[in-house]
Amino acid sequence: MELQEPTNNKNSKNKMPRFNLTWLYIAIAVALGYLFFAGGDSQPGGASKNVTYTVFKQYVEQGYANKIIANKDAGNVRMYVKPEHIRDVFASGVDQTGKQPFVEADYPSADKLDEFVSQQQELGNFNGELSYKRQNDTLMQLFWNIMPLLIIIFVWMFIMRRMGSGGAGFGGMSSIFNVGRSRAQLVEKGGENESKVTFKDVAGQASAKQEVQEIVEFLKNPKKFTDLGGKIPKGALLVGPPGTGKTLLAKAVAGEADVPFFSMSGSDFVEMFVGVGASRVRDLFRQAKEKAPCIIFIDEIDAVGRARSRNLAMGGNDERESTLNQLLTEMDGFGTNSGIIIMAATNRADILDKALLRAGRFDRQIHVDLPDLKERREVFQVHLKPIKVDASLDIDLLARQTPGFSGADIANVCNEAALIAARHGKEAVTKEDFLAAVDRIVGGLEKKTKVMTDDEKRTIAIHEAGHATISWNLQYANPLIKVTIVPRGRALGAAWYLPEERQITTKEQMLDEMCATLGGRAAEELFTGHISSGAMNDLERVTKQAYGMIAYMGMSDRLPNVCYYNNDEYSWQRPYSEDTARLIDEEVKRMIAEQYERAKALLLAKSEGHRQLADLLVEREVIFAEDVEKIFGKRPWTSRTEELLG
Ligand code: ADP
Ligand code: ZN
C-alpha cells in the first residue's frame, strides 16, 4: 500500500503548473485593479466641454491648463482645468463640475500642437507636460465585456481540477483534460521507480509465495505452459488483513519476472464524475497492452469491486458499478495468453462482486495471513537487517511479544525502536527499546501525566489483577505476558496475553477466554463493592463473542448447529424469526451470566493470590508473567505456542 506514494510523486510533477497558475491569478487581480483605477481616469466624474482649437489656445494662454493630454488616434486634445479656474471656464463651481472637469478640442496637427504647448511652457502659462495617449477605450470596453466570462471559466476550471484530483494534491492545468486517464504508477526496469523487491524481501508467507512464484513462471516462460495446451491465468487475488505484505508480494512478482508493473489503488478509479472510472480502467488496460507482458496491480480492489447492489431501494452507486462493469469487460477483452496478469489485493474477499471471482477473471485466490510466531521471527530478521542492534537482542523474544502483529506493524516496531534508542543517545538498539516500541504501537503513548487518585489506581489494579488471576488459573485462557496499570491511549490499564495461535478454537477455549475477560469486572464487584465504567470494553468484547458463538457457530444447546451468518451487506433482514431472535438474546445472556458467576467463584477461591497481585500492581505498576507465577505457582498446562517454540 505504501509503496505507491502518490502524493510525493504528484507534487514534484505539479510544482511548475501550480507556480504558473498562481501567477495567472495575480495577473488577473492586477489587471482588474488597474482597470478599476485607470477607469476612473478615462471616465472622470468631472464635467466636460467641447471647444474649438482657438478657444483651447486661449485657455492655455490664460494659464488655465492643469494637464494636457493629446489623443493621436482621435486627433483631439484634452485639457484639464485648474481648480481655481473652473468658474472661468464652466461658469459654475466645483460642486457642479466635479474635481476634474476638462475641455476637448480637435487639433490641426501634432506638430502644431507640440510647438504651441512648448511655447506656452516657455512663457510660463503652462507648467505641466504634454502627454500622448493611445485610443484604447474600445479595447477596454471589449475587455470589460469578456471579463465576467473569463472569471467564470477560471472558477469552473478550478473546481474541475479540484474534483479531478480527488482533493489530493494540486493537479496541473493539463489534468483537467486528463481526468479520464489512469493514474497507474508504472514500475519498470530502468524506469525512475524501478522495483528491487524480490521474494527474499518477503518473509514468511511460504504458501502465498509459492503460488505467486507460479505466476512468475507464467510470465517468464509462457511457452512451457501454452505448448501443453494450458491457459495462463488472468488474475490472482491476494486476500488478507492490511499490512501483511500483499503489495510487497505483487512487487516481488514484478521484480522477479522482470516485467513492467502497473500499480494503482481501487479508490483511484472512483471519482465524482460519471464515466471517469470506466475511462480510467480503459486507459489502464490500453497502456498495459502496449507493455505486455506485464502485471497490473490493483490495491484495495474492494473500492470498485464491491458487490453491485440488488436492493434498488437503497440506490446503487452508478459510477462505481460502471467502473466495475468496465473492469469486467476489459478482463474478458484481452486474450488468455496475451501476457497481462492482473493481481489485486483486498482484505474483504467476501464483499467482492461474484462476477469478479468467476473463471477467467480473478480465478485464483491467494491467502496472505497474519504471520505466526515463526514467520514473525523471519519478518523481524528482514527488518532488523538495516538496524544496529545490541548483540544480546533475542529475536525469539520479540516474536513472542508481538502476537497479532502484521508485517507492517513489525516494520514499524523496528523503526520506532531505532528512534527511541536514538532519542536516548544509545550506541545500539536494545531489547528495552524494542519492548517500549511494542508497547507504544499496541497502546499508544504512555500518559504519565494523567492524574489518578490512589483510589482509582487501586480499582484499576484490582480489575487488571482479576483478569490475570483468572487467565492464569484456567487451562485454555491465553497465557499472560504482562499486566500494567499505566494508562496508555484511552485505556486505563491493560493485561497483555499471548494469544494461542490456533487454526480452530473449541467451545471450551472460547468460554475460558470469556471468563477471563469478565474477570476484571467480577473482581471489582467482589473486592471493591461496586462496579465501574472501566469494564465497558471488556463487556463489549464478551457480548460480541457470545453472539458469534450462538448465532454463527451453533455453540449453544438450545440452538445447536445453526449459522445465521449473513454476508450480504445490503440486506437488513434477519435470516431468522422473531422467536429465534428472542432465543438468541436469552442464550447470550445466559452464557455471559454463567461465565461471570464462574469468574466470581474462581476469584473467591484465589482471593489471597488476587490480593497480592493487586498490591504488587499498585506498588510496581507493571508486572510480568514471572511475578504471577511466584504467586500462583507454575501453570500445569503448556500452551501450543510454548510447544511451538520448543
Ligand atoms: P498490504 O498491501 O498487505 O497492506 P504491504 O505490502 O503494503 O501490506 O506492507 C507494508 C509494509 O510492511 C511493507 O512495505 C513491508 O515493509 C512490511 N511487510 C509486510 N509484510 C511483510 C513480510 N511478510 N515480510 C517483510 N516485510 C513485510
Ligand atoms: Zn478489563
Side-chain angles (χ1 to χ4, degrees), residues 463-464 467 493 516-517 519-521 524 534-535 537-538 541:
H463 178 108
E464 298 302 337
H467 288 307
T517 313
R521 160 140 310 183
E524 281 180 51
N537 250 331
D538 296 342
R541 262 176 49 208

Side-chain angles (χ1 to χ4, degrees), residues 43 153 238 246 261 303 305 335 352 396 435 452 493 506 554 627:
Q43 240 125 49
I153 290 175
L238 297 162
K246 298 183 291 294
F261 177 76
L352 290 184
D396 276 345
L435 294 184
M452 245 198 282
T506 62
D627 304 307

